[in-house]
Amino acid sequence: MRHVPSLIARGGASRGRAARRIPTFAAALVLPVTLLAAWPAAAQSRTPAPVVAQAPAAQMPIVPQPVPAYVPPVDPILSAIQERAADSRVTRSVTLGDLGIEGPVVLQGMDARRDIYLPVPAGVALENASIAVDGEYLRGDGGRTTMVLSVDGTPVYSRRLEGDTGSASATVAVDNRPRDTGFVRFGTAWSSVIGEALCADERGIGNVLKLRPSTRFTYSYDAGQVRTLATAWSGMPGSGALLVAGGTLSKDTYDTAWRLGLALETAGKRLVVKTLPSIGDEVDLSNLDVPASLRAVAPFSSFVGVRSYRIRDASELGALLVLPGSPLGADVAVADVALLSGIRGALDALGARLGTASAAFTEWRGKSASLGSATIAPDEVSLQFLAGRPIIAVGGAAGGKATQLFDGFWRTSLTSGSVMIRAVDAGADRPSSVLLNTLGPTEGNLDVLARGDWVVTFDLAAATGGRSLPSRLNLDVAAAPGASTSEPVAAVFLNDVLLAAKRLDANGHPEHISAAVPPYALAARNVLRVTFQRQPVSDRCRETPQAFPVSVLPTSHFELGGAAPSGDFLGVISAMAAGGKLLVPDSYLATAKASLPRVVRAAAAAGMPAGTSTFEVASLGTPFRATGGFLALDVPVQGVTAKAKVDGDRLIVGTDERARLLDITGLRNVALVQAVRGDDARGILWQSIGPVAMTPAKPVRLSKGDVALVGVDGTLTELTASGAAPGTVRVADTDGPAGTLQRLWQNSSDWGLPLGIGAAALFFLLLIRASQVRRRGN
């Protein structure tokens, strides 16, 4: 019996141990159940479930886990299209060479300044704008030399230059505010102080600053901010691209194209002609950068890493039309039926190939390639988009009226995105004078320490207004008094010909300078320069040199009414001031990409106004009967006397076989240009020499000769048919009493002195005779 208590005690201990083992067993049972409950959620989730420390069942209740929402897979094509649709930036890069500044800008002397106007879209905010200055300096005279760069009159960079020579390169930021004028004024100032004494001679020539034409202005802007035609025109880069349909153009389309190209050249743009390629054509892709989001998307992937590509189908052409930086991107397009249908078909083919992303592409197409869905009337000018950049679409028959609409007289009124042109006459209400501030961007005020130049470059056709040549320059200037007692001097130059000079009173009041404009000082492209010179210090050097303002007032103008009725190039330019006739062979219509730049640069050299001239197409080998003023390219003309002729690759200058100026065979890449006259005609013949017609890459300048050889780089040689130098060309005879009087006045230097001597001798003879008569009477 004494073992019973011990058994009971052991039984109680066993029951206690069993009770203590129950929670452990429950926890072991709960863990598999929990894992089984969470298995579906873990299977759907791509991330592993976190490990959670397990507690006893009595302390950790079972909580159901939330199931994540289903995320469909991302379509890479749709994502790429949406990414490109969100980016509407347009990036421009313009060099000084693109703006027509072919040589370096040279600044030297004690104080020299130069302003350069860089085009930007008017009223549109800029992004990431900067100017990369590429320059160098020479410092042979020593002293203190300083370069200061400014933007819109505000200095933004200053550097003291040391050493005999070195680099003057710099990068300056341009603020992003909108410019209502459509220009960023980039100013460069150069200061050279050689002597330490206040009155030292500062006329050294060894300190020079040079800015190269490769100086580059880069900026971006939001294409969606361009909403008017005026803004789109002002935002064109230095090279204006014109897009036309491929193949043979119609007469109306070609007529509109050459007028638009001439308008671009007149506005200072270098024309680049692009044609819409066809399937099988080779396209240059050396400057194309396919965005990273589209490099894996067909057909965009076909353009990655290739320099030249042959188009295989319409969808590839459509892909080129929407890519940023596309080789088919343009600023102006002749939107005839052929071009619009070609673009529309290519974009439709691209949309069909994109499959599931076609809806997103259609939306993108409406923003970045709206030209492919637009309908342009023959007389309409509309703002559209192509390759993500604004483009001005001009109807196929609106060329003459559109070019007058984009003239500076009407351009600022284009405050909408689309207009229908019924009639335009840019010169109907103009007086017989042209204000200088309408000829180009200029700044009226200058701060002059020793010397300052006010410069404006203009086309002769723009200055004449379709009337006649400038006959007189009326210049109104004002100058503030300076520290020196010497009055400043204003000198007026036209194409480096001194027209007038005057010592100014410098009292702050307007002063007038008037000068006759001789015909020999004019050219198809002209540079008017007004140079102001001051004495930089006062008497006995009591004052520190300081710049004082001078102004060219907005009342300054050219009077029209002059004439140069000679048989040289200038006489023809004068005759066609109100409009002429342009003649091209029908073969030009089939080679628009090559022939249009040639026609445009020939018309610009002849001074033909784009709005008032007429256009004719001659059949191959059919001669043209010349009447009035004309420009004929590779078309035989009857009724005029030629001074030179072309026979294949043979050039003959001089019609007299016994006294020929030139007879040569084997010339290449050259054209013969000559001024000719007939009974009732006066014009310019442009004849290609050799089997391949040459197109000048640079503007052609024709002025005082009557025969010229033109090459790729412009005018090579200019002479008269008599063999004299161009500078000795005399004004030819004209008909009527007015022409006789004008001829006598222009040649007054030949007969003025002998006539004066004869008049004086006659006067003395009369005195002697009167004395003899008086003595006889006495």
Side-chain angles (χ1 to χ4, degrees):
M1 296 298 294
R2 57 178 180 266
H3 296 289
V4 173
S6 61
L7 291 175
I8 296 175
R10 285 197 299 267
S14 300
R15 287 192 298 269
R17 287 193 298 266
R20 286 192 300 267
R21 286 196 297 264
I22 290 176
T24 305
F25 175 76
L29 182 63
V30 168
L31 180 60
V33 174
T34 304
L35 292 177
L36 289 175
W39 180 78
Q44 294 181 5
S45 175
R46 298 191 179 185
T47 59
V51 178
V52 181
Q54 301 298 322
Q59 299 178 4
M60 188 187 71
I62 300 176
V63 179
Q65 300 295 325
V67 179
Y70 174 75
V71 179
V74 179
D75 187 348
I77 300 179
L78 178 62
S79 177
I81 297 298
Q82 291 175 343
E83 180 180 343
R84 294 307 310 156
D87 186 6
S88 59
R89 289 177 302 171
V90 176
T91 300
R92 301 283 197 190
S93 184
V94 182
T95 64
L96 298 187
D98 295 333
L99 300 178
I101 303 177
E102 299 176 355
V105 178
V106 179
L107 302 177
Q108 63 184 131
M110 180 179 179
D111 182 86
R113 303 168 188 268
R114 179 71 180 271
D115 285 341
I116 300 174
Y117 291 83
L118 308 173
V120 295
V124 176
L126 306 181
E127 299 178 9
N128 303 322
S130 64
I131 301 174
V133 179
D134 183 11
E136 62 178 346
Y137 68 91
L138 303 175
R139 192 169 165 268
D141 287 327
R144 301 191 307 272
T145 52
T146 307
M147 175 183 71
V148 178
L149 305 177
S150 62
V151 175
D152 294 328
T154 302
V156 295
Y157 180 86
S158 177
R159 177 186 170 190
R160 184 172 180 174
L161 305 175
E162 298 177 348
D164 293 339
T165 183
S167 172
S169 300
T171 300
V172 297
V174 179
D175 58 281
N176 296 333
R177 63 181 178 84
R179 270 77 175 178
D180 294 334
T181 60
F183 293 97
V184 170
R185 181 160 60 95
F186 171 56
T188 305
W190 164 257
S191 174
S192 172
V193 180
I194 300 175
E196 295 295 336
L198 185 60
C199 298
D201 188 1
E202 303 290 349
R203 293 175 293 177
I205 62 173
N207 294 350
V208 180
L209 175 66
K210 297 186 294 183
L211 300 183
R212 298 188 182 95
S214 55
T215 297
R216 184 175 298 275
F217 174 45
T218 305
Y219 67 95
S220 301
Y221 66 92
D222 185 3
Q225 298 299 317
V226 179
R227 300 184 179 92
T228 68
L229 292 168
T231 302
W233 183 272
S234 66
M236 288 187 190
S239 298
L242 175 67
L243 179 65
V244 297
T248 302
L249 302 183
S250 65
K251 179 182 177 182
D252 288 342
T253 300
Y254 200 96
D255 184 21
T256 299
W258 82 263
R259 295 178 192 273
L260 292 174
L262 182 56
L264 291 173
E265 292 268 336
T266 303
K269 315 295 182 182
R270 288 191 174 183
L271 175 66
V272 177
V273 177
K274 300 181 179 181
T275 58
L276 186 67
S278 303
I279 297 176
D281 290 348
E282 196 88 10
V283 181
D284 182 15
L285 303 181
S286 55
N287 296 323
L288 180 65
D289 185 15
V290 180
S293 59
L294 295 176
R295 292 181 180 178
V297 179
F300 303 100
S301 57
S302 302
F303 309 141
V304 178
V306 297
R307 300 182 60 88
S308 181
Y309 188 80
R310 189 176 300 277
I311 298 177
R312 295 176 296 182
D313 54 42
S315 65
E316 293 183 342
L317 177 59
L320 284 179
L321 289 171
V322 298
L323 279 176
S326 167
L328 304 180
D331 303 292
V332 184
V334 182
D336 59 354
V337 176
L339 180 67
L340 293 179
S341 61
I343 295 176
R344 185 181 301 111
L347 295 180
D348 290 343
L350 176 61
R353 185 171 179 180
L354 293 178
T356 58
S358 60
F361 171 73
T362 302
E363 182 180 357
W364 179 30
R365 170 179 173 177
K367 296 178 181 179
S368 63
S370 60
L371 185 62
S373 305
T375 301
I376 309 298
D379 292 334
E380 182 182 359
V381 178
S382 176
L383 175 61
Q384 301 293 333
F385 289 87
L386 186 65
R389 56 194 275 188
I391 184 170
I392 299 175
V394 181
K401 293 179 286 188
T403 52
Q404 294 189 73
L405 193 67
F406 285 113
D407 181 64
F409 187 73
W410 292 115
R411 187 189 312 156
T412 55
S413 62
L414 298 176
T415 57
S416 64
S418 178
V419 293
M420 296 291 294
I421 312 174
R422 294 180 176 84
V424 177
D425 187 359
D429 298 328
R430 289 184 177 181
S432 58
S433 63
V434 178
L435 295 175
L436 299 186
N437 57 10
T438 63
L439 298 178
T442 57
E443 183 69 19
N445 298 323
L446 297 173
D447 288 336
V448 179
L449 174 62
R451 171 174 172 167
D453 292 336
W454 183 90
V455 181
V456 61
T457 303
F458 62 94
D459 188 81
L460 186 62
T464 59
R467 298 176 182 269
S468 57
L469 293 180
S471 61
R472 179 167 291 275
L473 173 63
N474 293 301
L475 197 67
D476 295 323
V477 300
S484 173
T485 57
S486 301
E487 296 89 353
V489 176
V492 184
F493 296 86
L494 181 61
N495 297 324
D496 292 329
V497 176
L498 179 62
L499 300 184
K502 181 180 180 180
R503 190 181 297 273
L504 303 178
D505 294 334
N507 54 10
H509 297 294
E511 300 181 56
H512 187 71
I513 302 175
S514 182
V517 179
Y520 61 79
L522 292 169
R525 188 72 174 173
N526 301 270
V527 178
L528 176 65
R529 174 166 54 92
V530 182
T531 299
F532 296 94
Q533 290 181 316
R534 283 185 179 273
Q535 182 68 24
V537 295
S538 65
D539 186 25
R540 298 182 183 179
C541 301
R542 295 174 181 172
E543 300 287 343
T544 302
Q546 183 177 352
F548 292 89
V550 297
S551 297
V552 177
L553 302 180
T555 54
S556 302
H557 64 278
F558 275 118
E559 290 183 13
L560 302 180
S566 60
D568 59 5
F569 291 126
L570 189 60
V572 176
I573 293 173
S574 172
M576 289 195 294
K581 181 177 291 185
L582 174 64
L583 294 122
V584 300
D586 53 4
S587 60
Y588 275 30
L589 275 63
T591 57
K593 187 173 183 178
S595 64
L596 272 174
R598 185 182 317 127
V599 171
V600 168
R601 293 193 172 102
M608 295 190 71
T612 56
S613 299
T614 58
F615 178 70
E616 293 292 337
V617 178
S619 302
L620 182 63
T622 303
F624 166 75
R625 181 69 183 179
T627 57
F630 66 91
L631 169 64
L633 287 89
D634 295 329
V635 174
V637 178
Q638 295 179 345
V640 295
T641 302
K643 304 164 187 175
K645 64 179 180 178
V646 174
D647 185 7
D649 62 348
R650 181 183 180 186
L651 171 64
I652 302 174
V653 180
T655 56
D656 190 352
E657 295 184 359
R658 295 173 297 180
R660 285 179 174 173
L661 298 178
L662 184 66
D663 189 345
I664 189 172
T665 304
L667 294 177
R668 296 289 188 276
N669 295 325
V670 177
L672 170 66
V673 183
Q674 57 179 319
V676 295
R677 295 188 66 178
D679 295 336
D680 56 349
R682 184 185 305 173
I684 293 179
L685 292 179
W686 181 294
Q687 296 170 280
S688 301
I689 301 176
V692 180
M694 184 275 309
T695 298
K698 297 181 179 179
V700 178
R701 310 298 185 207
L702 302 175
S703 54
K704 306 170 185 64
D706 55 14
V707 174
L709 292 180
V710 176
V712 177
D713 293 330
T715 304
L716 303 177
T717 304
E718 190 175 9
L719 66 153
T720 63
S722 60
T728 62
V729 177
R730 293 195 300 267
V731 177
D733 295 340
T734 54
D735 300 329
T740 303
L741 292 176
Q742 181 183 8
R743 183 174 65 257
L744 291 175
W745 176 255
Q746 291 174 342
N747 297 331
S748 59
S749 60
D750 297 335
W751 53 261
L753 182 59
L755 180 61
I757 295 174
L762 180 61
F763 177 72
F764 283 112
L765 290 175
L766 290 176
L767 288 179
I768 294 173
R769 179 59 179 168
S771 177
Q772 292 175 352
V773 171
R774 188 180 301 108
R775 286 197 299 268
R776 289 178 182 177
N778 293 337

